């Protein structure tokens, strides 16, 4: 999703296979359990704000500012997190044309520039209206201004990085594939210039559960990690953005959200099993050793629970924060996984308010769509109620 600072995390104990519930200090709820009465395990709700009546999707956080996708509205909300107990919507951006016959938004993604002055909105619709990458000046978050637009087909993922003196933006698009852009700052914001395109195979991504992007920039160089629902995982060398090359790939299974960590010189990619193209796929968390990109190997696969064969609680977002891997796990809420043992060490089911019935999901509750860290707090988007919630880690 974004560029993350690489963190050293113990990997001992990571083994193939599912995690038995007895191994987890925090047991997950079942499909039949009550979301109203269930208590959180080491994640306590401290604040929330109602952002949308249609449900929230992907998010990114920079300092005290969060950017959140309003999934079926084609808009982005900018939320002040300075007071975790009282998050406040500062402003919104509507990327539509204003014509109902053209604007059929489906989903998308957001990513801040490294300095937080720009926001990149990968906007997806069904009718090619203003689909594509929207570049927003958010110096005044109450009034975001679009400074550029790169039209594409069905954009679902976006990530940013600075490599040397070059600002980069990468996108995954359902018809165009993967595109790498250079950001050119201007007096009125920024423009973007395409540098590299990997267009095949077509239809790489179809929804938020079938794509993942993350830059890895360190002393060893610059790598773009790209996952999708049809070809699995690919690693690109972007140290010279004008001469991008494919380092290697892993194609045994479609993947979605990714999070990268380094340990003792190893590059480990945690990836969610995708489900857009195969709804029967269990919501496994898969760990790949990509140290040698020409020989990527699977070193761990585990279930995080919440799947009874009838209702899959999917993994919609991953975020590595210190020694914890934060996971947005659908109806199971937000989880924190210890990569060393595979145990779920924190989770939340308590919303602090009565939940609502949802016929489609056949569950009384919510749907955690994406997750990010804000200091000692965990930020979660809800795809059912449209609330943004902040939880304290106990």
């Amino acid at each position: 999703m974004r560029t993350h600072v690489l963190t050293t995390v113990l990997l001992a104990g990571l083994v193939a296979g599912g995690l038995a519930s007895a191994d987890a200090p925090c047991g997950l709820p079942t499909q039949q359990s009550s979301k109203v009465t269930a208590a959180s395990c080491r994640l306590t709700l401290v604040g929330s704000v109602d952002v949308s009546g249609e449900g929230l999707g992907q998010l990114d956080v920079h300092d005290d500012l969060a950017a959140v996708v309003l999934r079926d509205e084609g808009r982005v909300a900018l939320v002040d997190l300075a007071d975790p107990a009282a998050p406040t919507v500062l402003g919104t951006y509507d990327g539509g044309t204003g014509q109902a016959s053209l604007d059929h938004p489906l989903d998308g993604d957001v990513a801040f520039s490294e300095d937080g002055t720009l926001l990149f909105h990968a906007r997806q619709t069904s009718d090619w209206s203003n689909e594509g990458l929207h570049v927003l000046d958010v110096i005044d978050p109450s009034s975001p201004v679009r400074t550029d637009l790169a039209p594409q087909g069905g954009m679902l993922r976006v990530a940013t990085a600075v490599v040397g003196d070059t600002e980069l933006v990468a996108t995954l698009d359902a018809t165009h594939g993967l595109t790498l852009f250079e950001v050119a700052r201007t007096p009125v914001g920024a423009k973007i210039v395409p540098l590299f395109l990997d267009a095949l195979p077509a239809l790489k991504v179809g929804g938020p559960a079938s794509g993942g992007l993350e830059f890895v920039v360190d002393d060893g160089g610059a790598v773009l990690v790209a996952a999708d629902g049809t070809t699995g995982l690919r690693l690109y060398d972007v140290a010279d953005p004008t001469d991008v090359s494919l380092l290697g790939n892993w194609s045994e299974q479609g993947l979605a959200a990714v999070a990268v960590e380094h340990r003792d010189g190893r590059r480990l990619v945690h990836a969610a099993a995708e489900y857009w193209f195969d709804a029967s796929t269990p919501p496994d968390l898969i760990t790949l050793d990509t140290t040698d990109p020409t020989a990527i190997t699977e070193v761990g696969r585990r279930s995080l629970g919440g799947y009874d064969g009838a209702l899959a609680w999917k993994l919609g977002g991953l975020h590595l924060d210190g020694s914890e891997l934060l996971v947005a796990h659908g109806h199971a809420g937000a989880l924190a996984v210890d990569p060393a043992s595979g145990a779920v060490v924190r989770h939340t089911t308590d919303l602090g308010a009565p939940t609502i019935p949802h016929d489609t999901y056949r569950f009384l509750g919510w749907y955690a769509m994406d997750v990010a860290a804000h200091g000692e707090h965990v930020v979660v988007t809800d795809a059912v109620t449209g609330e943004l919630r902040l939880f304290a880690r106990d």
Side-chain angles (χ1 to χ4, degrees), residues 32-301:
Q32 290 76 29
S33 67
S34 171
K35 292 284 184 174
V36 179
T37 59
S40 298
C41 175
R42 304 182 67 198
L43 281 174
T44 303
L45 181 69
V46 295
S48 66
V49 59
D50 190 354
V51 180
S52 166
E54 300 294 331
L56 300 182
Q58 304 304 118
L59 81 153
D60 195 17
V61 174
H62 185 277
D63 293 336
D64 288 331
L65 188 63
V68 188
V69 174
L70 283 65
R71 297 188 66 198
D72 296 323
E73 300 177 45
R75 297 189 296 144
V76 173
L78 294 163
V79 183
D80 185 355
L81 306 179
D83 181 358
T88 305
V89 176
L90 298 175
T92 60
Y93 167 75
D94 188 341
T97 64
Q99 301 180 55
S101 61
L102 293 178
D103 294 331
H104 293 112
L106 298 175
D107 227 303
D109 196 8
V110 283
F112 283 105
S113 61
E114 188 175 79
D115 64 3
T117 62
L118 298 175
L119 180 69
F120 299 91
H121 176 205
R123 186 175 187 270
Q124 183 197 32
T125 72
S126 61
D127 283 304
W128 291 69
S129 56
N130 275 354
E131 286 187 84
L133 184 60
H134 295 236
V135 182
L136 309 179
D137 183 328
V138 292
I139 292 178
D140 178 2
S142 67
S143 183
V145 177
R146 190 179 83 192
T147 65
D148 203 2
L149 169 64
Q152 290 198 356
M155 194 172 287
L156 255 299
R157 290 293 188 187
V158 61
T160 63
V162 176
V163 176
D165 296 327
T166 306
E167 284 189 87
L168 298 175
V169 177
T171 60
L172 273 177
D173 183 272
T175 58
H176 287 70
L178 182 141
T179 306
L180 185 67
F181 298 89
E182 180 180 357
V183 180
R185 298 281 181 152
T186 72
V188 292
K191 300 292 183 182
I192 49 176
V193 180
L195 297 176
F196 171 79
L197 173 66
D198 184 356
L200 296 175
L203 298 176
K204 290 183 176 182
V205 291
S210 64
L213 276 178
E214 184 166 326
F215 282 97
V216 180
V217 182
D218 55 23
D219 293 339
V223 174
L224 177 59
V225 179
D228 64 71
T230 56
T231 61
L233 189 76
R234 300 180 310 286
L235 273 66
Y236 299 86
D237 183 350
V238 294
D240 180 355
T242 65
D243 186 21
V244 176
S245 60
L246 179 66
L247 295 172
N249 69 290
W250 181 88
S251 58
E252 295 182 21
Q253 178 176 338
L255 300 173
V258 294
V260 183
E261 64 164 314
H262 270 181
R263 176 182 178 266
D264 298 333
R266 290 190 297 171
R267 183 191 298 116
L268 302 164
V269 176
H270 303 289
E274 71 86 21
Y275 65 91
W276 183 265
F277 297 107
D278 184 1
S280 66
T281 303
D284 290 336
L285 181 65
I286 300 168
T287 300
L288 304 173
D289 187 338
T290 69
T291 307
D292 179 357
T294 65
I296 299 172
T297 58
E298 180 179 325
V299 296
R301 180 182 293 255

Side-chain angles (χ1 to χ4, degrees), residues 31 33-36 331 355-358 361-366:
Q31 181 180 349
S33 67
S34 171
K35 292 284 184 174
V36 179
H331 298 295
T355 54
I356 61 174
H358 200 288
Y361 298 131
R362 296 177 285 126
F363 202 95
L364 287 172
W366 64 313

